[in-house]
């Protein structure tokens, strides 16, 4: 069984998923964005502060892109063809310009980019690059059979889940650059099975998550 959590940035869906894990310890948490973030950890040396911490929204200084290395990394990590990998890197360098990112080509293989935040990198790489090149199910095809998915953002990802919970939180971000990207548009409301209001304390949220799971008979 695949349990999914969706919601806008800052809604608390990651926290809710961790709480669901306490009820369903046999179902590990799986992030559809994990393979995206893993790529940039390797490519740029980013870490948890970039993935989910205080650097996620920060526009970074000069970063080096070695096109050959990036291509080989795509082939190794995703099992794609060399041609698709080259297309992905090229598309990424073109698409990030739309987000006020500066791209400088020093040679055919070496490029420097500045003014890119990790969130922009993740969104462009995940949605504007690989979903366009390899299809909407590129990231879901990498997910295991039984898991809790904490970052459902598209309708095809919602369809991939057996039960989908939406978290609506008091701290979610509803404007600005974060929510302008297609990945923050939200899934079709008709696909949501249960909405969890995250407007109280963590204990309140824990109780609501447990109630939601039991409502659907979900337990180990």
């Amino acid at each position: 069984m695949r349990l999914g959590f969706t919601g806008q940035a800052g809604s608390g869906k990651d926290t809710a998923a961790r709480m669901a894990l306490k009820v369903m310890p046999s179902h590990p948490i799986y992030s559809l964005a994990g393979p995206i973030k893993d790529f940039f950890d390797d490519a740029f040396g980013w870490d948890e502060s970039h993935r989910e911490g205080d650097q996620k929204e920060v526009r970074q200084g000069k970063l080096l892109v070695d096109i050959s290395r990036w291509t080989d990394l795509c082939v190794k990590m995703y099992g794609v063809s060399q041609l698709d990998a080259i297309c992905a890197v090229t598309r990424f360098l073109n698409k990030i310009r739309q987000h006020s990112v500066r791209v400088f080509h020093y040679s055919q293989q070496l490029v420097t980019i500045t003014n890119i935040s990790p969130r922009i990198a993740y969104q462009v790489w995940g949605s504007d690059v690989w979903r366009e090149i390899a299809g909407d199910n590129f990231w879901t095809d990498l997910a295991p059979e039984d898991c809790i998915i904490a970052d459902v953002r598209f309708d095809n990802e919602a369809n991939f889940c057996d039960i989908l919970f939406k978290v609506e939180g008091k701290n979610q971000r509803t404007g600005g650059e974060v929510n302008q990207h297609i990945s923050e548009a939200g899934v079709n409301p008709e696909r949501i099975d249960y909405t969890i209001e995250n407007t109280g304390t963590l204990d309140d949220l824990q109780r609501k998550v447990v109630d939601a799971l039991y409502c659907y008979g979900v337990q180990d």
Side-chain angles (χ1 to χ4, degrees):
M1 175 180 288
R2 297 186 183 96
L3 306 179
F5 286 84
T6 190
Q8 291 186 330
S11 63
K13 58 184 180 292
D14 292 308
T15 302
R18 290 193 294 271
M19 291 174 173
L21 179 62
K22 296 178 181 179
V23 180
M24 297 285 290
S26 65
H27 287 53
I29 291 178
Y30 180 82
S31 172
L32 294 172
I36 300 169
K37 295 176 180 181
D38 291 345
F39 179 89
F40 286 99
D41 284 356
D42 195 309
F44 289 147
W46 286 351
D47 55 28
E48 192 60 30
S49 67
H50 300 85
R51 294 170 74 106
E52 298 297 342
D54 59 3
Q55 291 295 306
K56 190 169 185 178
E57 313 294 346
V58 176
R59 299 271 183 160
Q60 305 292 306
K62 185 180 291 186
L63 298 167
L64 179 66
V65 176
D66 183 326
I67 294 177
S68 293
R69 182 173 177 273
W70 274 40
T71 300
D72 291 342
L73 189 58
C74 287
V75 173
K76 178 182 177 182
M77 290 186 67
Y78 303 145
V80 297
S81 69
Q82 193 84 3
L83 178 59
D84 280 349
I86 293 172
C87 289
V89 177
T90 302
R91 185 177 181 86
F92 177 79
L93 293 173
N94 289 331
K95 284 289 184 178
I96 57 176
R97 297 174 190 267
Q98 299 174 12
H99 299 270
S100 301
V101 177
R102 292 183 287 275
V103 180
F104 302 90
H105 287 263
Y106 282 119
S107 68
Q108 284 189 322
Q109 294 300 321
L110 295 179
V111 179
T112 60
I113 60 178
T114 59
N115 202 41
I116 190 170
S117 71
R119 183 181 291 278
I120 290 171
Y122 301 152
Q123 288 178 335
V124 172
W125 189 251
S127 301
D128 303 334
V129 173
W130 282 108
R131 283 175 66 92
E132 292 296 324
I133 290 174
D136 290 347
N137 295 328
F138 183 70
W139 302 115
T140 55
D141 287 344
L142 300 177
E145 289 278 335
D146 297 312
C147 61
I148 300 170
I149 300 175
D151 54 351
V152 176
R153 292 185 172 89
F154 295 94
D155 285 345
N156 72 295
E157 297 172 356
N159 293 334
F160 184 69
C161 299
D162 296 295
I163 304 174
L164 181 64
F165 301 101
K166 181 179 182 181
V167 181
E168 293 186 344
K170 58 186 176 182
N171 296 319
Q172 65 188 30
R173 283 159 279 180
T174 57
E177 183 179 57
V178 169
N179 293 83
Q180 291 176 1
H181 193 265
I182 188 174
S183 64
E184 297 292 345
V187 302
N188 186 335
E190 294 182 357
R191 184 59 189 83
I192 296 167
D193 295 299
Y194 194 101
T195 298
I196 299 171
E197 298 286 346
N198 180 21
T199 54
T201 65
L202 286 176
D203 286 340
D204 292 333
L205 179 59
Q206 175 74 65
R207 186 181 66 256
K208 290 178 180 180
V209 169
V210 171
D211 288 346
L213 293 173
Y214 284 163
C215 178
Y216 283 89
V218 178
Q219 56 185 302
D220 270 350

